[in-house]
Amino acid sequence: MRSTPVLSTSASNAPADGHAQQSSASTLRRRQPHRSRPAAPPADAPTAPRRGGVALVASLLGFTVITIDVSAVNIALPAIGKSLSGGMTGLQWVVDAYTLMFAALMLSAGALADRAGARRAYAWGVALFTLASLGCALAPGIGVLVGARVAQGCAAAVVMPASLALIRQAYEDARARAHAIALWTVGGSVAMAAGPVLGGLLTESAGWRAVFLLNLPVGAVILGLLVRVPRSVRRPAAVDGGGQLTAVLALAGLAFAVIEGGHLGWTSGPVLAAAGLAVASGCAFRVVEARHRQPMVPLGMLTDRRVGVPLAVGFAVNAAFYGGIFLLGLYYQQLRGMSGIAAGLMFVPMSAVVTSTNLVSPRLAERIGRRPVIVAGQLIFTGAMLAMLPLAAHTPVWLVLVLLLPLSVGGALVVPALTALLMDAVPGERAGTASGLLNSFRQTGGALAVALFGSLLSGPGGGFSLPGMRIGLLTVAALLLATAALSRLLLPRG
């Protein structure tokens, strides 16, 4: 690991400082031989690189398991529906209960990690995620499963920022830290690629509950590794309870209205009440944030087009990507009759292209500018939504894979350039807030797309509705076109 040079430098500086305090030249000459010899490293120097590696492995495992849980569960949804008789509405909540809590709590989870210390917050998050996974695996009905998924989402919101803070703590050297974060990012891409395959294999061989049981040994390993990680410094950080509560209520009300609107009717009492709650909570959120001395979301940031436009683009891109994954998982199994394993394998080429395009995007942005990359990625994504319109029960498999290539490329081009642009647009002390905002908007886009697609996909008798699928695809394509236009008009080229 690259932390070794940092340790050796600090060790060699110590005697040099001692010499500077000596006034006698003879003393300096007597001590000169000692200066030429390598200074003895501190007693804990041999273990420091290993501790950095341990922290990285622990962080990587946590990020991997919360990422796999998204894509693997999508493949397990048909089996969950048959086992627990939840219907399309129940399956939507299995996905969105996790995603919505993840999105809402991401806004203040970073402050919690600062207050508790990265290691302690990470341990809390992993422990809660592991226990919630056990609750998911043992759920006797769809309601208990959704409740356990809420707890999983809360835990994942803590794990995400705390895992990055743990890496920051473990690697003081900037180059070593950049390398560690790159590994952490690639781990997430690999997890997203492996999730559908793993979900299909586990569901077919051991049942859908195995998808959640897999998290138990991983959680135990992470907690064991954290024992070898040094304690983290605890820093004062304000927790905006009022802002957090109103954000959760606004997102939950909006998701309920979209999910249940397709089943209960858009003018039904519960749906109108949920929509009213979303609007009222959104207004209350704005008032609370405007009055709070240290708001969770500084409202001034949202008026900066270099911040507001990337947030809108992140929302649209995740709506297309996660909505597409949700749609395809059901399309493969419910309409085409594929097994869980076969459905999972259908995602492998797409995930491989996503991973490779993620690596190309930063270089392309350096060459031609970030704005062209962001706009082009959204237009490619729009083409992907339109290319999926002809999909039917008997579309050749090879053609399905070809049509999904734009879906693989579009989002992978946009996100790295978008993230870099946003980080450059805010002061360094606001980087954590901006990152939390972007992740929150992205997760919210994915959650609402799942809600929308789920409402449209349920045909007569609970079957898969091709007309509903096409309406959803056209809706997301229109959203992407709108954000592409905003990007072209309002973002700086560089």
Side-chain angles (χ1 to χ4, degrees):
M1 292 293 174
R2 294 183 181 268
S3 51
T4 305
V6 177
L7 293 168
S8 62
T9 301
S10 62
S12 62
N13 283 344
D17 293 339
H19 291 157
Q21 295 172 4
Q22 302 295 328
S23 59
S24 169
S26 60
T27 302
L28 284 172
R29 285 194 297 271
R30 287 198 303 272
R31 293 179 60 89
Q32 187 65 31
H34 296 284
R35 294 182 66 184
S36 62
R37 295 200 306 266
D44 63 344
T47 64
R50 289 199 294 270
R51 285 180 177 177
V54 169
L56 174 59
V57 172
S59 299
L60 183 58
L61 283 175
F63 184 40
T64 298
V65 78
I66 66 175
T67 303
I68 284 180
D69 224 62
V70 176
S71 53
V73 169
N74 270 297
I75 298 299
L77 287 177
I80 293 172
K82 291 179 182 177
S83 173
L84 302 182
S85 303
M88 182 63 75
T89 303
L91 298 183
Q92 288 170 267
W93 279 115
V94 168
V95 176
D96 275 355
Y98 178 88
T99 309
L100 284 170
M101 295 309 298
F102 196 177
L105 297 182
M106 183 79 70
L107 295 172
S108 61
L112 175 63
D114 285 342
R115 285 174 65 93
R119 189 186 75 163
R120 179 178 295 182
Y122 190 61
W124 288 348
V126 170
L128 176 58
F129 189 87
T130 304
L131 290 174
S133 298
L134 179 61
C136 291
L138 300 178
I142 199 73
V144 175
L145 177 59
V146 170
R149 290 284 283 171
V150 168
Q152 271 193 318
C154 294
V158 176
V159 167
M160 174 74 84
S163 66
L164 274 175
L166 208 60
I167 292 175
R168 176 63 182 86
Q169 165 190 310
Y171 293 92
E172 290 297 329
D173 179 69
R175 293 180 62 189
R177 183 167 63 249
H179 180 64
I181 292 175
L183 290 176
W184 181 86
T185 304
V186 171
S189 298
V190 172
M192 182 59 70
V197 181
L198 188 60
L201 286 170
L202 291 174
T203 301
E204 290 292 318
S205 61
W208 64 267
R209 297 179 190 273
V211 173
F212 298 105
L213 288 173
L214 179 66
N215 298 335
L216 273 60
V218 178
V221 169
I222 295 172
L223 293 174
L225 290 172
L226 287 177
V227 174
R228 300 173 57 192
V229 175
R231 290 184 179 179
S232 305
V233 175
R234 301 171 68 177
R235 299 180 177 87
V239 175
D240 183 1
Q244 186 61 83
L245 176 62
T246 51
V248 170
L249 290 176
L251 289 179
L254 184 58
F256 183 93
V258 177
I259 290 176
E260 300 293 342
H263 304 283
L264 300 178
W266 297 104
T267 59
S268 64
V271 170
L272 292 177
L277 175 65
V279 173
S281 299
C283 294
F285 175 82
R286 192 183 187 288
V287 172
V288 169
E289 296 304 278
R291 294 181 177 178
H292 202 283
R293 288 188 356 184
Q294 292 182 290
M296 182 173 64
V297 179
L299 298 178
M301 287 179 63
L302 301 181
T303 61
D304 184 344
R305 63 184 181 181
R306 297 174 302 163
V307 175
V309 174
L311 294 181
V313 173
F315 178 96
V317 166
N318 259 43
F321 187 76
Y322 285 104
I325 289 178
F326 177 78
L327 180 155
L328 290 169
L330 296 177
Y331 165 78
Y332 290 142
Q333 295 179 78
Q334 290 190 349
L335 193 63
R336 299 189 68 104
M338 289 184 175
S339 66
I341 295 176
L345 290 173
M346 290 290 288
F347 286 96
V348 172
M350 185 180 81
S351 301
V353 174
V354 167
T355 302
S356 58
T357 307
N358 266 326
L359 300 176
V360 172
S361 176
R363 299 177 185 176
L364 192 60
E366 286 180 6
R367 178 169 298 182
I368 67 173
R370 291 169 180 164
R371 187 183 70 187
V373 171
I374 293 169
V375 173
Q378 291 176 88
L379 293 178
I380 292 171
F381 226 149
T382 303
M385 297 294 103
L386 299 178
M388 291 167 61
L389 290 174
L391 291 182
H394 303 294
T395 304
V397 171
W398 67 266
L399 182 56
V400 174
L401 294 175
V402 169
L403 293 175
L404 294 183
L405 286 178
L407 180 64
S408 312
V409 174
L413 271 180
V414 171
V415 173
L418 186 76
T419 304
L421 186 146
L422 179 62
M423 290 299 100
D424 286 351
V426 297
E429 63 271 16
R430 291 292 191 190
T433 302
S435 176
L437 268 174
L438 179 60
N439 281 301
S440 181
F441 269 71
R442 291 179 61 197
Q443 294 293 333
T444 302
L448 293 180
V450 168
L452 174 66
F453 276 113
S455 298
L456 295 171
L457 289 178
S458 184
F464 189 94
S465 170
L466 280 173
M469 177 191 79
R470 289 164 184 152
I471 293 172
L473 290 171
L474 288 171
T475 302
V476 175
L479 176 62
L480 285 166
L481 276 177
T483 54
L486 285 175
S487 303
R488 177 65 182 81
L489 294 172
L490 300 179
L491 289 182
R493 179 181 175 82

